[in-house]
Amino acid sequence: MPAYICPQDGTRADTTALTWCCPACRGPWDLEFEAAGALSLNSLTGRVNSLWRYEEVLPLSSPTTTLGEGRTPLVPVTGTVSAKLDFLMPTLSFKDRGAVMLAELARRLSPERVVADSSGNAGTAVAAYCARASLPCTVYVPEGTSPKKTEQIRAHGAHLEIVPGDRETTAAAARAAADVPGTFYASHVFNPYFLHGTKTYVYELWEDLGGRLPDAVAVPVGNGTLLLGAALATAELHARGLIDRRPALIAVQAENVSPLAAAFRAGAEDLLPEDLLPEDLLPEDLLRDGPAGPVASTTLAEGIAIPRPPRARAILAAVRESGGTFLTVTEDQIRAAQLDLAARGFYVETTGVACWAAVGGWTDRSVVVPLCGAGLKTGLAG
């Protein structure tokens, strides 16, 4: 059986318990489990056309909550840059990869309720998969979340809690609710099952490219769930001899909310103390006055506007170990990238265009960018 393990102090817990964080340090769990068997390109022939085709390396199997997620197209955009169209997922974002794992786990545990927190896409995905699993679900979102996303959450039958304040305040409200007995916290940040869902992104790249990976994989990073999933997959593929080298992980943040990039450039292993942050990253500069108090501001890329990601140490380590780096993009670059992609036929939300803004002009090495959310979720940038 898989087991939860705290990467900070080694505390362990059974995955059948509704224990959403390490009780000693309140940090996120990692997952300890052994793959069920060998995986090869030949073994994939004739399998189900979803992410569940990689069953040997997943901590759950034989799902009933699936909506057919995964196996999104990989499309060349330039001579060296290809795009993975994860906005074609059932709920129109890559978050379906992890949300299906959380909902399937929750279904097996039969909690009294499921709670989640999100700036939008993870919430819509958890709401949809909980609906598929017939689980009662409450999703906490910060005020200012795209009305199109909150409409989608409600449409799936979830109860919506709009929290006055920023993304951090919203997470705190959800975690307080998660402490109520009988609650499953479907956290895309704290629960490692989510990361083992997002790692299928790289398994699909490996399969579509005939058993290899590009020189670099670029991903937008807020809480780092896609990047950490990619790091898991590249490590697993390399350990099994299925790739001879690991690609560089290129982490992209909005320049206006880039605490991880600041830490990386400072050579730090964790987030910088607030008094050492660059002036434009100080907490007071990440807020603006809203009708019910201060709310998050500063970037069009709302999905990665995370000032204090709980898995910061793991994200920084993964990028360094891969030989990758952090890049940041301005608001003008985000606007221009969204229009440029639309002119090429791809209508992508503002968070999802960040990687194209950062590496779309690369010509010296092959790189894949995720188009990870549909433009219909936010509309065109102002």
Side-chain angles (χ1 to χ4, degrees), residues 202 215-219 227-228 230-232 234 246-251 315 318-320 322-326:
V202 166
D215 297 326
V217 175
V219 291
L227 183 137
L228 292 173
L232 275 173
T234 57
R246 297 162 71 170
L249 297 178
I250 309 299
I315 295 166
V319 173
R320 288 193 173 103
S322 75
T325 192
F326 275 82

PDB file of all heavy atoms in Angstrom, residues 202 215-219 227-228 230-232 234 246-251 315 318-320 322-326:
ATOM      1  N   VAL A 202       4.141  14.187 -18.620  1.00  0.00           N
ATOM      2  CA  VAL A 202       5.448  13.838 -19.183  1.00  0.00           C
ATOM      3  C   VAL A 202       5.442  12.422 -19.748  1.00  0.00           C
ATOM      4  O   VAL A 202       6.105  12.153 -20.765  1.00  0.00           O
ATOM      5  CB  VAL A 202       6.550  14.029 -18.128  1.00  0.00           C
ATOM      6  CG1 VAL A 202       7.854  13.366 -18.557  1.00  0.00           C
ATOM      7  CG2 VAL A 202       6.782  15.516 -17.887  1.00  0.00           C
ATOM      8  N   ASP A 215      14.576  18.593 -25.156  1.00  0.00           N
ATOM      9  CA  ASP A 215      15.698  19.119 -24.384  1.00  0.00           C
ATOM     10  C   ASP A 215      15.222  19.808 -23.104  1.00  0.00           C
ATOM     11  O   ASP A 215      15.904  19.768 -22.079  1.00  0.00           O
ATOM     12  CB  ASP A 215      16.498  20.128 -25.217  1.00  0.00           C
ATOM     13  CG  ASP A 215      17.133  19.494 -26.440  1.00  0.00           C
ATOM     14  OD1 ASP A 215      17.530  18.305 -26.363  1.00  0.00           O
ATOM     15  OD2 ASP A 215      17.229  20.178 -27.484  1.00  0.00           O
ATOM     16  N   ALA A 216      14.061  20.456 -23.185  1.00  0.00           N
ATOM     17  CA  ALA A 216      13.541  21.194 -22.035  1.00  0.00           C
ATOM     18  C   ALA A 216      12.020  21.077 -21.993  1.00  0.00           C
ATOM     19  O   ALA A 216      11.361  20.937 -23.019  1.00  0.00           O
ATOM     20  CB  ALA A 216      13.957  22.660 -22.109  1.00  0.00           C
ATOM     21  N   VAL A 217      11.502  21.115 -20.776  1.00  0.00           N
ATOM     22  CA  VAL A 217      10.061  21.154 -20.545  1.00  0.00           C
ATOM     23  C   VAL A 217       9.781  22.421 -19.755  1.00  0.00           C
ATOM     24  O   VAL A 217      10.299  22.588 -18.639  1.00  0.00           O
ATOM     25  CB  VAL A 217       9.572  19.917 -19.758  1.00  0.00           C
ATOM     26  CG1 VAL A 217       8.094  20.041 -19.414  1.00  0.00           C
ATOM     27  CG2 VAL A 217       9.824  18.641 -20.557  1.00  0.00           C
ATOM     28  N   ALA A 218       9.020  23.338 -20.345  1.00  0.00           N
ATOM     29  CA  ALA A 218       8.689  24.596 -19.672  1.00  0.00           C
ATOM     30  C   ALA A 218       7.305  24.476 -19.040  1.00  0.00           C
ATOM     31  O   ALA A 218       6.376  23.947 -19.663  1.00  0.00           O
ATOM     32  CB  ALA A 218       8.711  25.756 -20.661  1.00  0.00           C
ATOM     33  N   VAL A 219       7.162  24.947 -17.813  1.00  0.00           N
ATOM     34  CA  VAL A 219       5.861  24.887 -17.133  1.00  0.00           C
ATOM     35  C   VAL A 219       5.649  26.169 -16.340  1.00  0.00           C
ATOM     36  O   VAL A 219       6.587  26.725 -15.770  1.00  0.00           O
ATOM     37  CB  VAL A 219       5.759  23.673 -16.181  1.00  0.00           C
ATOM     38  CG1 VAL A 219       5.710  22.383 -16.952  1.00  0.00           C
ATOM     39  CG2 VAL A 219       6.894  23.654 -15.191  1.00  0.00           C
ATOM     40  N   LEU A 227       5.042  21.188 -12.405  1.00  0.00           N
ATOM     41  CA  LEU A 227       6.495  21.025 -12.400  1.00  0.00           C
ATOM     42  C   LEU A 227       6.919  19.837 -11.547  1.00  0.00           C
ATOM     43  O   LEU A 227       7.756  19.028 -11.963  1.00  0.00           O
ATOM     44  CB  LEU A 227       7.175  22.295 -11.901  1.00  0.00           C
ATOM     45  CG  LEU A 227       8.705  22.224 -11.940  1.00  0.00           C
ATOM     46  CD1 LEU A 227       9.309  23.507 -12.473  1.00  0.00           C
ATOM     47  CD2 LEU A 227       9.291  21.920 -10.556  1.00  0.00           C
ATOM     48  N   LEU A 228       6.341  19.693 -10.363  1.00  0.00           N
ATOM     49  CA  LEU A 228       6.719  18.579  -9.498  1.00  0.00           C
ATOM     50  C   LEU A 228       6.261  17.249 -10.076  1.00  0.00           C
ATOM     51  O   LEU A 228       6.948  16.231  -9.929  1.00  0.00           O
ATOM     52  CB  LEU A 228       6.160  18.793  -8.096  1.00  0.00           C
ATOM     53  CG  LEU A 228       6.793  19.955  -7.320  1.00  0.00           C
ATOM     54  CD1 LEU A 228       6.055  20.194  -6.014  1.00  0.00           C
ATOM     55  CD2 LEU A 228       8.271  19.704  -7.063  1.00  0.00           C
ATOM     56  N   ALA A 230       6.130  16.701 -13.299  1.00  0.00           N
ATOM     57  CA  ALA A 230       7.110  16.474 -14.369  1.00  0.00           C
ATOM     58  C   ALA A 230       8.419  15.940 -13.799  1.00  0.00           C
ATOM     59  O   ALA A 230       9.055  15.050 -14.383  1.00  0.00           O
ATOM     60  CB  ALA A 230       7.352  17.772 -15.141  1.00  0.00           C
ATOM     61  N   ALA A 231       8.836  16.463 -12.654  1.00  0.00           N
ATOM     62  CA  ALA A 231      10.070  15.984 -12.025  1.00  0.00           C
ATOM     63  C   ALA A 231       9.932  14.528 -11.598  1.00  0.00           C
ATOM     64  O   ALA A 231      10.871  13.735 -11.757  1.00  0.00           O
ATOM     65  CB  ALA A 231      10.413  16.864 -10.819  1.00  0.00           C
ATOM     66  N   LEU A 232       8.769  14.157 -11.060  1.00  0.00           N
ATOM     67  CA  LEU A 232       8.522  12.757 -10.696  1.00  0.00           C
ATOM     68  C   LEU A 232       8.658  11.854 -11.920  1.00  0.00           C
ATOM     69  O   LEU A 232       9.325  10.818 -11.876  1.00  0.00           O
ATOM     70  CB  LEU A 232       7.118  12.601 -10.109  1.00  0.00           C
ATOM     71  CG  LEU A 232       6.907  12.880  -8.630  1.00  0.00           C
ATOM     72  CD1 LEU A 232       5.418  12.844  -8.312  1.00  0.00           C
ATOM     73  CD2 LEU A 232       7.646  11.859  -7.776  1.00  0.00           C
ATOM     74  N   THR A 234      10.134  12.364 -14.910  1.00  0.00           N
ATOM     75  CA  THR A 234      11.462  12.260 -15.514  1.00  0.00           C
ATOM     76  C   THR A 234      12.388  11.406 -14.655  1.00  0.00           C
ATOM     77  O   THR A 234      13.205  10.637 -15.184  1.00  0.00           O
ATOM     78  CB  THR A 234      12.076  13.654 -15.738  1.00  0.00           C
ATOM     79  OG1 THR A 234      12.128  14.367 -14.494  1.00  0.00           O
ATOM     80  CG2 THR A 234      11.262  14.458 -16.739  1.00  0.00           C
ATOM     81  N   ARG A 246      17.704  13.412 -18.530  1.00  0.00           N
ATOM     82  CA  ARG A 246      16.531  14.123 -18.041  1.00  0.00           C
ATOM     83  C   ARG A 246      16.500  15.527 -18.620  1.00  0.00           C
ATOM     84  O   ARG A 246      17.526  16.227 -18.622  1.00  0.00           O
ATOM     85  CB  ARG A 246      16.542  14.158 -16.511  1.00  0.00           C
ATOM     86  CG  ARG A 246      16.444  12.763 -15.901  1.00  0.00           C
ATOM     87  CD  ARG A 246      16.870  12.707 -14.453  1.00  0.00           C
ATOM     88  NE  ARG A 246      15.933  13.361 -13.562  1.00  0.00           N
ATOM     89  CZ  ARG A 246      16.001  13.267 -12.232  1.00  0.00           C
ATOM     90  NH1 ARG A 246      16.960  12.550 -11.661  1.00  0.00           N
ATOM     91  NH2 ARG A 246      15.121  13.888 -11.475  1.00  0.00           N
ATOM     92  N   PRO A 247      15.364  15.976 -19.126  1.00  0.00           N
ATOM     93  CA  PRO A 247      15.290  17.326 -19.703  1.00  0.00           C
ATOM     94  C   PRO A 247      15.399  18.400 -18.628  1.00  0.00           C
ATOM     95  O   PRO A 247      15.081  18.174 -17.456  1.00  0.00           O
ATOM     96  CB  PRO A 247      13.914  17.347 -20.362  1.00  0.00           C
ATOM     97  CG  PRO A 247      13.101  16.377 -19.571  1.00  0.00           C
ATOM     98  CD  PRO A 247      14.061  15.284 -19.177  1.00  0.00           C
ATOM     99  N   ALA A 248      15.833  19.573 -19.039  1.00  0.00           N
ATOM    100  CA  ALA A 248      15.845  20.721 -18.135  1.00  0.00           C
ATOM    101  C   ALA A 248      14.417  21.173 -17.868  1.00  0.00           C
ATOM    102  O   ALA A 248      13.597  21.249 -18.793  1.00  0.00           O
ATOM    103  CB  ALA A 248      16.651  21.856 -18.748  1.00  0.00           C
ATOM    104  N   LEU A 249      14.111  21.458 -16.617  1.00  0.00           N
ATOM    105  CA  LEU A 249      12.801  21.987 -16.253  1.00  0.00           C
ATOM    106  C   LEU A 249      12.904  23.512 -16.193  1.00  0.00           C
ATOM    107  O   LEU A 249      13.680  24.062 -15.407  1.00  0.00           O
ATOM    108  CB  LEU A 249      12.351  21.427 -14.912  1.00  0.00           C
ATOM    109  CG  LEU A 249      12.156  19.915 -14.851  1.00  0.00           C
ATOM    110  CD1 LEU A 249      11.757  19.475 -13.447  1.00  0.00           C
ATOM    111  CD2 LEU A 249      11.111  19.453 -15.869  1.00  0.00           C
ATOM    112  N   ILE A 250      12.116  24.172 -17.036  1.00  0.00           N
ATOM    113  CA  ILE A 250      12.110  25.631 -17.103  1.00  0.00           C
ATOM    114  C   ILE A 250      10.854  26.127 -16.396  1.00  0.00           C
ATOM    115  O   ILE A 250       9.739  25.903 -16.863  1.00  0.00           O
ATOM    116  CB  ILE A 250      12.126  26.129 -18.561  1.00  0.00           C
ATOM    117  CG1 ILE A 250      13.252  25.437 -19.350  1.00  0.00           C
ATOM    118  CG2 ILE A 250      12.243  27.641 -18.600  1.00  0.00           C
ATOM    119  CD1 ILE A 250      14.636  25.695 -18.814  1.00  0.00           C
ATOM    120  N   ALA A 251      11.033  26.746 -15.250  1.00  0.00           N
ATOM    121  CA  ALA A 251       9.917  27.226 -14.445  1.00  0.00           C
ATOM    122  C   ALA A 251       9.629  28.682 -14.789  1.00  0.00           C
ATOM    123  O   ALA A 251      10.531  29.527 -14.752  1.00  0.00           O
ATOM    124  CB  ALA A 251      10.255  27.093 -12.963  1.00  0.00           C
ATOM    125  N   ILE A 315      10.262  22.491  -5.188  1.00  0.00           N
ATOM    126  CA  ILE A 315      10.260  23.098  -6.521  1.00  0.00           C
ATOM    127  C   ILE A 315      11.660  23.592  -6.880  1.00  0.00           C
ATOM    128  O   ILE A 315      12.183  23.319  -7.969  1.00  0.00           O
ATOM    129  CB  ILE A 315       9.247  24.261  -6.574  1.00  0.00           C
ATOM    130  CG1 ILE A 315       7.814  23.751  -6.385  1.00  0.00           C
ATOM    131  CG2 ILE A 315       9.372  25.020  -7.897  1.00  0.00           C
ATOM    132  CD1 ILE A 315       6.805  24.850  -6.084  1.00  0.00           C
ATOM    133  N   ALA A 318      13.989  20.671  -7.515  1.00  0.00           N
ATOM    134  CA  ALA A 318      13.709  19.966  -8.773  1.00  0.00           C
ATOM    135  C   ALA A 318      14.268  20.717  -9.973  1.00  0.00           C
ATOM    136  O   ALA A 318      14.836  20.113 -10.898  1.00  0.00           O
ATOM    137  CB  ALA A 318      12.206  19.759  -8.924  1.00  0.00           C
ATOM    138  N   VAL A 319      14.114  22.037  -9.987  1.00  0.00           N
ATOM    139  CA  VAL A 319      14.633  22.830 -11.103  1.00  0.00           C
ATOM    140  C   VAL A 319      16.154  22.744 -11.143  1.00  0.00           C
ATOM    141  O   VAL A 319      16.760  22.539 -12.213  1.00  0.00           O
ATOM    142  CB  VAL A 319      14.161  24.292 -10.989  1.00  0.00           C
ATOM    143  CG1 VAL A 319      14.844  25.161 -12.045  1.00  0.00           C
ATOM    144  CG2 VAL A 319      12.638  24.370 -11.164  1.00  0.00           C
ATOM    145  N   ARG A 320      16.790  22.869 -10.001  1.00  0.00           N
ATOM    146  CA  ARG A 320      18.260  22.812  -9.968  1.00  0.00           C
ATOM    147  C   ARG A 320      18.779  21.442 -10.380  1.00  0.00           C
ATOM    148  O   ARG A 320      19.747  21.334 -11.137  1.00  0.00           O
ATOM    149  CB  ARG A 320      18.756  23.179  -8.572  1.00  0.00           C
ATOM    150  CG  ARG A 320      18.598  24.655  -8.233  1.00  0.00           C
ATOM    151  CD  ARG A 320      19.372  25.032  -6.979  1.00  0.00           C
ATOM    152  NE  ARG A 320      19.329  26.482  -6.770  1.00  0.00           N
ATOM    153  CZ  ARG A 320      18.555  27.089  -5.866  1.00  0.00           C
ATOM    154  NH1 ARG A 320      17.784  26.364  -5.067  1.00  0.00           N
ATOM    155  NH2 ARG A 320      18.580  28.400  -5.743  1.00  0.00           N
ATOM    156  N   SER A 322      17.537  19.359 -12.351  1.00  0.00           N
ATOM    157  CA  SER A 322      17.337  19.104 -13.782  1.00  0.00           C
ATOM    158  C   SER A 322      18.269  19.923 -14.662  1.00  0.00           C
ATOM    159  O   SER A 322      18.317  19.727 -15.882  1.00  0.00           O
ATOM    160  CB  SER A 322      15.887  19.430 -14.162  1.00  0.00           C
ATOM    161  OG  SER A 322      15.671  20.838 -14.226  1.00  0.00           O
ATOM    162  N   GLY A 323      18.994  20.861 -14.063  1.00  0.00           N
ATOM    163  CA  GLY A 323      19.799  21.772 -14.857  1.00  0.00           C
ATOM    164  C   GLY A 323      18.986  22.874 -15.489  1.00  0.00           C
ATOM    165  O   GLY A 323      19.435  23.524 -16.442  1.00  0.00           O
ATOM    166  N   GLY A 324      17.790  23.103 -14.954  1.00  0.00           N
ATOM    167  CA  GLY A 324      16.890  24.113 -15.499  1.00  0.00           C
ATOM    168  C   GLY A 324      17.068  25.459 -14.852  1.00  0.00           C
ATOM    169  O   GLY A 324      18.070  25.739 -14.177  1.00  0.00           O
ATOM    170  N   THR A 325      16.084  26.321 -15.028  1.00  0.00           N
ATOM    171  CA  THR A 325      16.158  27.680 -14.502  1.00  0.00           C
ATOM    172  C   THR A 325      14.768  28.244 -14.334  1.00  0.00           C
ATOM    173  O   THR A 325      13.766  27.611 -14.715  1.00  0.00           O
ATOM    174  CB  THR A 325      16.998  28.581 -15.436  1.00  0.00           C
ATOM    175  OG1 THR A 325      17.286  29.815 -14.765  1.00  0.00           O
ATOM    176  CG2 THR A 325      16.266  28.875 -16.736  1.00  0.00           C
ATOM    177  N   PHE A 326      14.688  29.438 -13.764  1.00  0.00           N
ATOM    178  CA  PHE A 326      13.441  30.192 -13.666  1.00  0.00           C
ATOM    179  C   PHE A 326      13.471  31.354 -14.645  1.00  0.00           C
ATOM    180  O   PHE A 326      14.497  32.041 -14.778  1.00  0.00           O
ATOM    181  CB  PHE A 326      13.257  30.749 -12.248  1.00  0.00           C
ATOM    182  CG  PHE A 326      12.616  29.787 -11.291  1.00  0.00           C
ATOM    183  CD1 PHE A 326      13.373  28.805 -10.672  1.00  0.00           C
ATOM    184  CD2 PHE A 326      11.264  29.856 -11.015  1.00  0.00           C
ATOM    185  CE1 PHE A 326      12.798  27.914  -9.790  1.00  0.00           C
ATOM    186  CE2 PHE A 326      10.664  28.966 -10.135  1.00  0.00           C
ATOM    187  CZ  PHE A 326      11.427  27.991  -9.516  1.00  0.00           C
TER     188      PHE A 326
END
